[in-house]
Amino acid sequence: MAEQVATNITFHEGTVSAEERIANMGQKGATLWFTGLSASGKSTIAVAVEQVLVARGHHVYCLDGDNIRMGLNKNLGFSAEDRAENIRRIGEVSKLFADAGVLSIASFISPYTVDRDAVRTLHADNGVPYFECYIDCSLEAAEERDPKGLYKKARAGEIKGFTGIDDPYEEPTTPELHIKTHEDDLETCVAKVVEFIEAQNLFG
Ligand code: ADP
């Protein structure tokens, strides 16, 4: 986990209360964290859920693994250490989004329990609602889909440390929501996530 490097810094409190922000935004910020194998359907479901909720007037924003790795986290690879730092930074970003009153949907493989639990703790320590959603898909089905050809490359040894092939995916044991994309079609998966999040009393 990252160490505090800078010294002589002091947290500067704002003066806008949580209540004022909720009234201003018409909702409470939160983080919906999608975890699952590559090609399990995280990004596909996230953008569809975002579309539905935005159309209903909610403030929602997708944080996507590959997109973030092209910007904020472009200096990180896929070693265990870099994966941990990737997730730590996104945890901090999603916490900030939530603090601003936005529901962020974070789609990251996030294969290690310890990294996911650190994000959960960060949110809990700051009183931010956090919902872990396991976008579950059998390895067989994910490999069959292989929309980016990554499993094929990993099987051929062209990608090292690929989750599910030669790097572990530690399944969530107590996610708030469990979606099975190898059993339900996309429409059903999206409806289940929307129904879940609408039931969390975030939106006024
Ligand atoms: P991830 O973000 O988890 O890597 P993607 O969303 O990029 O996965 O890709 C998932 C692929 O699986 C897409 O091509 C999508 O159309 C397909 N797919 C098939 N069934 C489903 C489903 N029930 N839910 C989500 N995606 C599905």
Side-chain angles (χ1 to χ4, degrees), residues 37-45 145 147 181 184-186 189:
L37 291 173
S38 178
S40 65
K42 298 179 296 299
S43 304
T44 304
I45 296 172
R145 291 176 189 165
T181 70
D184 291 331
D185 64 15
L186 176 60
C189 294

Side-chain angles (χ1 to χ4, degrees), residues 3-188:
E3 296 288 324
Q4 177 70 53
V5 176
T7 54
N8 298 315
I9 53 170
T10 308
F11 193 87
H12 197 112
E13 288 291 346
T15 57
V16 176
S17 69
E19 291 70 28
E20 269 181 281
R21 212 178 287 281
I22 289 169
N24 200 37
M25 294 294 281
Q27 68 177 58
K28 190 169 168 52
T31 297
L32 183 58
W33 189 277
F34 282 4
T35 173
L37 291 173
S38 178
S40 65
K42 298 179 296 299
S43 304
T44 304
I45 296 172
V47 299
V49 169
E50 180 188 37
Q51 184 67 65
V52 172
L53 295 177
V54 166
R56 292 182 187 181
H58 306 317
H59 305 286
V60 184
Y61 192 78
C62 284
L63 298 169
D64 186 89
D66 279 7
N67 299 3
I68 299 280
R69 280 184 177 277
M70 290 176 177
L72 176 66
N73 289 354
K74 72 195 311 183
N75 61 331
L76 299 177
F78 291 92
S79 66
E81 192 185 27
D82 279 5
R83 284 180 191 268
E85 178 61 10
N86 183 45
I87 297 309
R88 188 192 71 80
R89 289 185 198 171
I90 301 314
E92 293 284 353
V93 170
S94 59
K95 188 199 82 179
L96 291 173
F97 267 77
D99 201 33
V102 175
L103 170 69
S104 69
I105 307 176
S107 304
F108 294 83
I109 298 173
S110 41
Y112 306 141
T113 305
V114 64
D115 298 337
R116 293 194 302 266
D117 284 353
V119 177
R120 181 186 287 281
T121 301
L122 176 72
H123 284 71
D125 288 350
N126 288 275
V128 177
Y130 177 81
F131 311 103
E132 183 177 80
C133 177
Y134 179 21
I135 304 292
D136 187 3
C137 179
S138 66
L139 179 62
E140 295 69 35
E143 229 177 320
E144 178 79 16
R145 291 176 189 165
D146 206 9
K148 301 170 196 158
L150 298 177
Y151 284 99
K152 198 162 171 245
K153 281 190 183 169
R155 288 287 185 199
E158 292 166 25
I159 303 177
K160 300 283 181 216
F162 196 74
T163 301
I165 305 297
D166 58 349
D167 210 62
Y169 178 76
E170 298 169 1
E171 287 190 87
T173 49
T174 53
E176 276 75 14
L177 185 63
H178 190 164
I179 298 292
K180 297 177 183 172
T181 70
H182 51 293
E183 292 180 6
D184 291 331
D185 64 15
L186 176 60
E187 199 183 329
T188 306

